[in-house]
Amino acid sequence: MTDSAPLDIDLALLGGGGAASLLLAALDRHGVRDLRIAIVDPVRRRGQDRTWAFWGHPDSDLDPLLSASWQQVEVATAARRRVLDLAPLRYAMLRSGPVYDRAAEAERRLNATRIVAPAEVLRDDGARVLVRTGDGRHIRAGWVLDSRPRPPARAGRTTWLQHFRGWWLAADRPVFDPTRAVLMDFRTPQPPRGVSFGYVLPVNDRYALVEYTEFSPALLDDAGYDAALASYRDLLGLDPAGLRVREVENGVIPMTDAPFPARPTPRVVRIGTAGGATRPSTGFTFSAMYRQADQVACALAAGRPPVPAAAYPRRHRWMDAVALRALDRGGMGGPHFFDRLFDRNPAERVLRFLDGGTTPAEEVSIMNSTRLLPMIAATAGDAAHRVRDRLRPTRPAPAVPPAV
């Protein structure tokens, strides 16, 4: 490949993380064999560099890859601890290693070309996309699926971050309950502006991921995360003398009502967080990312353009914007908000709502679970802010900072 002889392909995947890996596996699963595919990413993803947690029905495709799953979870506040039965759903934990391994096998079966370099310039003329890589090579693609982290089109009316640190803890005796996960434990000290909680995902009675998470505008420093995790470990009654930290995970996920254009040009389609897969009110991403991969693969197998449906209904994005505003402006406390949701609705309905799968009638019931006056104030403020956005120039969106 030189400047005068670009590589001609049908499909270019930019980025090689979770979204691209799921897409490669979906293309293989749906029997796509007649496309020329290239993966452009400066890093070959291997091993356990992240953990995804999600809920859904038991699934013959994903279940063999799971580290653990639970049909019961706990939601705890200072006032009480509630055990929720998720049936017919289950909460599941998936580590990145099996996902990357499956993607590597799919890459081989699809006979894809891998270019270990960043994609630096994209030029879409409406018929083909010319991609220039960081090592000077050129690719001419019929379609580009871009999963690289990208900023939103403009600044959001509310912008928070979901930021977290987790310890993979190995205990020298049984201390964890492998039959249930702790989904949200709000007994952690709450930040002045934001929400914090801990959670516990046990693989067995001696090994679990214990994590501290904040929804807030700014990150902690390194010592702050470790102190918060140590405090939560002590709150759980775990003796540090009998524990070993085997691995540490960090992450930052945007929580914003800013728009993420899923199709910035005619033949460039964004997937993953860049394509709107992250739910603004919770930061959950995996389920929408998996749906996007399946929809793209089905479309390509049928000879259609590889454009997935919107990750979430428009009305859900509006409700997320209102909820974020109410939390950010202090009209509604985070622990109280989530506690009421789970207290006044079946757990299965709340989880389907957070995944974008409820009906309007169910959403009325969910909205009635929240405190009325703060939500009315947030709705009015959101509407006024939308009007201001139309009258003033677009403000650039801040970049998502890297994890500490």
Side-chain angles (χ1 to χ4, degrees), residues 29 54-66 69 88-90 92 94 102 286 290 294:
R29 184 171 67 250
F54 63 98
W55 47 80
H57 295 278
D59 179 275
S60 59
D61 179 50
L62 288 176
D63 281 12
L65 307 184
L66 300 180
S69 65
L89 305 180
R90 55 92 169 93
L94 175 60
R102 178 180 280 188
F286 182 84
Y290 185 79
D294 202 62

Side-chain angles (χ1 to χ4, degrees), residues 80-324:
R80 58 181 168 178
R81 300 178 70 174
R82 183 186 294 107
V83 177
L84 306 174
D85 189 341
L86 305 184
L89 305 180
R90 55 92 169 93
Y91 193 52
M93 175 170 60
L94 175 60
R95 302 208 69 190
S96 58
V99 175
Y100 296 154
D101 290 345
R102 178 180 280 188
E105 176 61 19
E107 181 181 329
R108 184 190 64 79
R109 290 162 59 90
L110 295 166
N111 197 28
T113 299
R114 177 170 283 273
I115 298 171
V116 185
E120 291 194 341
V121 178
L122 277 67
R123 293 194 179 94
D124 185 348
D125 65 9
R128 307 283 285 177
V129 183
L130 185 66
V131 181
R132 191 182 75 204
T133 66
D135 58 2
R137 289 182 279 187
H138 289 75
I139 302 164
R140 194 160 48 209
W143 289 92
V144 166
L145 295 172
D146 190 353
S147 65
R148 299 171 300 165
R150 313 300 296 169
R154 57 161 174 78
R157 292 175 293 279
T158 305
T159 296
W160 276 13
L161 301 168
Q162 181 192 131
H163 50 107
F164 53 87
R165 173 167 291 178
W167 288 341
W168 281 94
L169 294 179
D172 57 11
R173 61 182 179 83
V175 294
F176 302 112
D177 181 356
T179 66
R180 66 177 64 152
V182 178
L183 181 66
M184 288 179 164
D185 187 342
F186 294 106
R187 294 178 298 161
T188 54
Q190 296 300 305
R193 183 182 171 200
V195 185
S196 78
F197 58 91
Y199 65 83
V200 183
L201 303 183
V203 175
N204 54 50
D205 60 7
R206 295 174 185 241
Y207 192 50
L209 173 62
V210 176
E211 193 155 296
Y212 174 81
T213 296
E214 276 194 18
F215 297 169
S216 61
L219 305 184
L220 305 180
D221 60 17
D222 193 65
Y225 288 110
D226 281 341
L229 259 174
S231 176
Y232 184 53
R233 175 202 61 204
D234 296 344
L235 181 66
L236 293 171
L238 299 173
D239 180 5
L243 300 170
R244 297 183 309 282
V245 179
R246 285 192 176 173
E247 300 175 55
V248 179
E249 289 193 3
N250 301 283
V252 182
I253 300 169
M255 298 177 65
T256 178
D257 54 9
F260 288 85
R263 197 172 178 181
T265 63
R267 289 186 169 268
V268 175
V269 178
R270 290 177 180 163
I271 57 175
T273 293
T278 297
R279 185 76 196 245
S281 59
T282 63
F284 280 103
T285 304
F286 182 84
S287 293
M289 196 163 63
Y290 185 79
R291 286 196 301 270
Q292 288 178 336
D294 202 62
Q295 290 166 2
V296 167
C298 284
L300 288 169
R304 302 193 308 270
V307 182
Y312 304 101
R314 177 177 290 184
R315 65 183 187 276
H316 281 224
R317 297 198 302 272
W318 170 75
M319 286 187 283
D320 280 352
V322 171
L324 273 176

